[in-house]
């Protein structure tokens, strides 16, 4: 296990370096640097001598190469820099937001997988009949639907018109609920955003499940099972659905990166203080260190991949081929 | 996935044709700048014959916004998809054909780009480069090319072992000429199947960027119309519903059309 992890980390190293270098280039491309931002913040924007002195002190006057080394070293020591907008270390802000995003994405992926597996199996069993058409068409349409719009529609129907669920947020603001009540409160807040993510992303799983079920139906082992006179229900569950689950489960981990992108919009729509809305706040406040930090959180993504390779050796060969979209 | 009726193959192309017509004829269908105030704010839809879909809180004609928005979505979507596929084809062909160190280096680069979620990268790029239509196209291309590169590379690896490539080599063609003139055309077929999806994705990313306020501020885009209507979700939901419908319709139209073309060429998934 340890040898495996070390090997994977060595494989991941060039990719990590490239991502870090990319983020560095991004920061270099932006107009102005941290000193400009700081001086603008304290109202000393015109003071050129002070600016030069600060640049000298923080190493911003060094050559490009030296600055990159400083940057790479601070990354290696898990120092993601200082958030201008929050006046706190970037890592602190990110760690505070991360659990909410993980919870939202976890429920979103779970819902997408359940919908995809269930409806995909149903569509395969009713292949070519109206149920199949209805299910696959719905998935196709939802897949083409922008997440922010679906989220707003759900808000209009379930929060504004029917008043069943809250408009947004992660928990009721002034609630002093603890224990099970607090959990239920958060769950109620998660229903609409998780449904938005799940509904816009389940088409892929549906397609995989349906295809794999159809493949299995034509396989020799299903013919053999029928020849042995096994009951239909058992054939469907054991001999078709079970092998068909494999590609779906493999895809589950690979989709997490895509959903992280989708969560930016969904969290913004539902005012959930997670990583996605943090990225948006960083953009709107021009807080580049924070934005760079959220991009670098993909390092977590790579770790997920590492673990994932452990679970399913077929993913193992190609790190990164897996990640992201 | 396929719709069952024999006419279903026409749904995508017909929708796409309507959208293209709306985009081309926008100055005739809705003359003037769609960002101009033309009527009383918040005219409800279907109440005033001159403004069939009503107006928003600044008195801008919703119909004009939708028609002109079709231009932005289609032009940005197509340009971004073309750039995405262009980069992907270039990288994929070079990596697959040259092999060796260049292949390794380009593949690591592809993995690095693929590790960062597409939308997050596009968001970061637009915010650094500045919000303009050109930068949105650039940002989408830079963040979405890896799948195309992988696909092309895999195909190039397959095609370059074929006999006719050896024949070109023996005939004394330069390696780069072989790569792009002989090998690449043979490797392009699966890219056609990817094209519809790429255009659809590009339209979705553009609309999401515009929704977050990172679209071109001088253009009326569907995404920014949804963002604009968001504040009035209780009183005038049509301001949110209509532009969103257009986005979904456009994405559906291009992906159905792409799917249909791929199927014609015998590349599509089974029904």
């Amino acid at each position: 296990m340890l040898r495996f992890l070390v090997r994977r980390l060595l494989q991941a190293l060039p990719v990590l370096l490239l991502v870090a270098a990319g983020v560095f280039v991004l920061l270099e491309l932006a107009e102005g640097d941290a000193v400009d931002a700081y001086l603008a913040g304290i109202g000393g924007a015109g003071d050129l001598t002070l600016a030069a002195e600060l640049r000298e002190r923080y190493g911003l006057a060094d050559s490009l190469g030296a600055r990159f080394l400083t940057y790479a070293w601070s990354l290696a020591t898990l120092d993601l820099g200082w958030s201008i907008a929050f006046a706190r270390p970037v890592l602190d802000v990110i760690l505070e937001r991360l659990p909410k995003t993980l919870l939202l994405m976890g429920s979103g992926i779970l819902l997408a997988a359940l919908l995809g597996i269930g409806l995909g199996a149903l569509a395969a069993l009713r292949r070519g009949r109206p149920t199949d058409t209805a299910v696959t068409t719905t998935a196709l349409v939802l897949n083409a639907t922008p997440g922010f719009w679906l989220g707003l529609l759900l808000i209009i129907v379930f929060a504004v018109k029917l008043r069943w669920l809250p408009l947004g947020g992660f928990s009721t603001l002034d609630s002093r609920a603890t224990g099970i009540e607090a959990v239920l409160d958060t769950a109620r807040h998660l229903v609409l955003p998780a449904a938005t993510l799940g509904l816009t992303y389940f088409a892929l799983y549906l397609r995989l499940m349906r295809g794999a079920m159809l493949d299995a139906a034509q396989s020799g082992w299903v013919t053999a099972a029928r020849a042995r006179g096994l009951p239909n229900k058992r054939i469907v569950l054991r001999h078709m659905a079970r092998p068909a689950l494999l590609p779906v489960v493999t895809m589950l981990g690979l989709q997490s990166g895509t959903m992280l992108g989708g969560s930016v919009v969904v969290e913004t729509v539902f005012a959930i203080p997670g990583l996605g809305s943090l990225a948006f706040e960083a953009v709107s406040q021009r807080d580049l260190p924070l934005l760079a930090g959220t991009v670098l959180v993909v390092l977590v993504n790579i770790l997920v991949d590492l673990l994932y390779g452990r679970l399913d050796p077929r993913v193992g060969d190609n790190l990164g081929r897996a990640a992201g979209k | 996935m396929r719709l069952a009726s024999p006419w279903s193959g026409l749904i995508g192309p017909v929708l796409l044709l309507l959208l293209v017509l709306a985009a081309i004829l926008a100055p005739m269908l809705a003359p003037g700048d769609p960002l101009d105030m033309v009527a009383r704010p918040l005219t409800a839809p279907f109440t005033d014959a001159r403004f069939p879909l009503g107006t928003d809180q600044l008195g801008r004609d919703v119909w004009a916004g939708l028609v002109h928005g079709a231009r932005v979505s289609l032009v940005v979507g197509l340009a971004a998809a073309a750039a995405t596929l262009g980069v992907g084809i270039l990288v994929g062909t070079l990596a697959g054909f040259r092999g060796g160190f260049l292949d390794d280096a380009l593949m690591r680069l592809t993995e690095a780009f693929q590790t960062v979620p597409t939308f997050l990268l596009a968001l970061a790029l637009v915010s650094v480069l500045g919000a303009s239509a050109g930068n949105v196209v650039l940002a989408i291309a830079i963040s979405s090319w890896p799948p195309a590169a992988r696909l092309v590379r895999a195909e190039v690896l397959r095609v370059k072992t074929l006999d006719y490539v050896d024949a070109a080599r023996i005939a004394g063609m330069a390696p780069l000429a072989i790569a792009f003139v002989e090998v690449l055309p043979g490797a392009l077929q699966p890219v056609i199947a990817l094209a519809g999806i790429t255009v659809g994705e590009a339209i979705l990313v553009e609309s999401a960027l515009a929704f977050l306020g990172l679209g071109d501020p001088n253009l009326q885009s569907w995404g920014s119309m949804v963002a604009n209507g968001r504040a009035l979700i209780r009183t005038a939901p049509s301001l949110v519903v209509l532009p969103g419908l257009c986005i979904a319709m456009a994405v559906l139209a291009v992906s159905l059309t792409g799917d249909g073309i791929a199927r014609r060429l015998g590349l599509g998934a089974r029904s």
Side-chain angles (χ1 to χ4, degrees):
Chain A
M1 176 75 193
L2 188 67
R3 250 181 64 195
F4 172 82
L5 275 183
V6 170
R7 203 169 56 94
R8 297 301 300 271
L9 278 173
L10 283 179
Q11 274 179 0
L13 205 59
V15 175
L16 290 181
L17 272 176
L18 278 169
V19 172
V23 171
F24 181 74
V25 170
L26 202 68
L27 290 173
E28 286 292 319
L29 274 178
E31 279 175 45
D33 58 13
V35 169
D36 291 326
Y38 172 72
L39 287 180
I42 62 165
D47 194 341
L48 290 179
T49 44
L50 179 61
E53 194 190 313
L54 283 171
R55 286 208 173 89
E56 192 65 44
R57 192 188 308 162
Y58 289 107
L60 287 170
D62 298 350
S63 69
L64 198 69
R67 266 181 291 148
F68 180 68
L69 284 183
T70 318
Y71 168 77
W73 174 248
S74 52
L75 278 190
T77 52
L78 279 184
D79 175 6
L80 294 184
W82 185 262
S83 159
I84 303 153
F86 288 83
R88 285 170 60 200
V90 167
L91 190 64
D92 289 6
V93 182
I94 287 178
L95 286 181
E96 190 182 284
R97 298 286 193 103
L98 195 59
K100 298 188 174 95
T101 293
L102 290 181
L103 189 62
L104 172 61
M105 273 176 44
S107 359
I109 291 183
L110 191 71
L111 185 65
L114 290 180
L115 279 174
I117 291 169
L119 293 175
L122 182 73
L125 294 176
R126 302 268 185 284
R127 179 185 185 181
R129 285 192 244 162
T131 318
D132 182 20
T133 312
V135 166
T136 45
T137 311
T138 311
L140 204 63
V141 170
L142 282 172
N143 196 227
T145 306
F148 59 88
W149 184 62
L150 186 64
L152 287 171
L153 284 191
L154 292 178
I155 287 180
I156 293 179
V157 174
F158 293 101
V160 175
K161 300 277 187 234
L162 297 174
R163 293 170 182 272
W164 287 352
L165 291 160
L167 277 167
F170 192 71
S171 54
T172 309
L173 267 185
D174 57 349
S175 123
R176 291 195 182 75
T178 46
I180 190 83
E181 255 180 73
V183 171
L184 283 177
D185 182 47
T186 297
R188 267 167 53 82
H189 282 84
L190 273 180
V191 171
L192 292 184
T196 307
L197 279 177
L199 286 174
T200 41
Y201 283 100
F202 85 95
L204 177 70
Y205 302 118
L206 179 115
R207 198 186 281 234
L208 278 173
M209 185 70 189
R210 184 172 174 278
M213 284 280 284
L214 290 178
D215 282 345
Q218 287 169 356
S219 68
W221 70 81
V222 165
T223 315
R226 287 206 196 285
R228 275 188 285 148
L230 291 183
N232 192 41
K233 193 175 159 194
R234 190 180 159 87
I235 294 179
V236 167
L237 289 179
R238 275 282 181 89
H239 298 264
M240 288 166 67
R242 211 156 83 170
L245 278 177
L246 253 175
V248 178
V249 173
T250 307
M251 191 49 83
L252 277 182
L254 314 189
Q255 271 269 295
S256 61
T258 316
M259 254 202 200
L260 195 63
S263 72
V264 176
V265 181
V266 171
E267 284 180 12
T268 311
V269 167
F270 288 97
I272 291 174
L275 201 65
S277 55
L278 187 66
F280 174 60
E281 284 162 44
V283 167
S284 52
Q285 312 218 17
R286 307 219 35 90
D287 186 347
L288 284 168
L290 185 60
L291 182 60
T294 53
V295 172
L296 283 168
V297 169
V298 296
L299 303 190
V300 177
N301 205 0
I302 293 182
L303 280 180
V304 172
D305 274 355
L306 287 176
L307 295 175
Y308 211 75
R310 180 73 232 174
L311 290 179
D312 184 351
R314 286 176 308 169
V315 184
D317 308 329
N318 295 305
L319 176 90
R321 192 153 306 189
K325 151 177 239 99
Chain B
M1 282 187 266
R2 190 177 64 176
L3 306 173
S5 111
W7 299 100
S8 62
L10 286 177
I11 293 177
V14 166
L15 276 180
L16 190 60
L17 189 70
L18 285 178
L19 285 169
V20 170
L21 281 179
I24 293 174
L25 300 177
M28 275 174 263
L29 292 170
D33 189 338
L35 292 171
D36 281 346
M37 177 171 180
V38 290
R40 286 168 60 94
L42 293 176
T43 309
F46 313 120
T47 53
D48 187 330
R50 285 172 307 155
F51 309 105
L53 299 179
T55 58
D56 69 3
Q57 68 267 49
L58 293 175
R60 295 176 292 199
D61 184 2
V62 172
W63 163 249
L66 292 182
V67 176
H68 285 266
R71 293 192 140 187
V72 179
S73 274
L74 289 183
V75 170
V76 171
L78 286 173
T84 302
L85 294 177
V87 176
I89 287 170
L90 190 68
V91 172
T93 310
L94 283 178
F97 192 76
R98 291 297 293 273
F101 175 74
L102 186 70
D103 184 22
D104 272 344
L106 286 177
M107 279 302 104
R108 289 298 93 71
L109 190 70
T110 312
E111 279 165 19
F113 270 91
Q114 204 160 19
T115 311
V116 184
T118 309
F119 186 70
L120 203 56
L121 184 55
L123 183 75
L125 283 168
V126 175
S127 93
V128 166
L129 299 172
S132 73
N135 285 342
V136 169
V137 169
L138 195 66
I140 295 176
I142 293 177
S143 53
S144 348
W145 60 271
R150 281 184 182 292
L151 188 69
V152 172
R153 175 176 174 272
E155 275 301 295
V156 165
L157 284 179
R158 184 182 67 80
V159 173
K160 82 171 180 183
T161 59
L162 299 180
D163 286 341
Y164 79 90
V165 179
D166 284 336
R169 236 186 276 274
I170 294 165
M173 277 179 80
L176 271 185
I178 299 177
F180 285 95
V181 178
E182 300 292 334
V183 176
L184 180 59
L188 274 185
Q189 275 223 340
V191 178
I192 298 170
L194 190 65
I197 302 168
T198 310
V199 179
E201 287 281 324
I203 293 178
L204 279 178
V205 173
E206 187 276 331
S207 71
L209 286 172
F211 174 73
L212 293 178
L214 288 168
D216 198 317
N218 301 315
L219 297 172
Q220 182 72 303
S221 145
W222 291 334
S224 57
M225 288 175 77
V226 174
N228 177 52
R230 204 180 147 191
L232 296 164
I233 203 166
R234 285 168 196 275
T235 44
S238 70
L239 292 181
V240 162
V241 174
L242 292 173
L245 266 180
C246 289
I247 302 171
M249 208 172 85
V251 177
L252 201 61
V254 290
S255 53
L256 281 178
T257 308
D259 233 33
I261 294 173
R263 205 180 303 279
R264 276 284 161 81
L265 297 171
L267 309 159
R270 109 216 76 202
S271 64

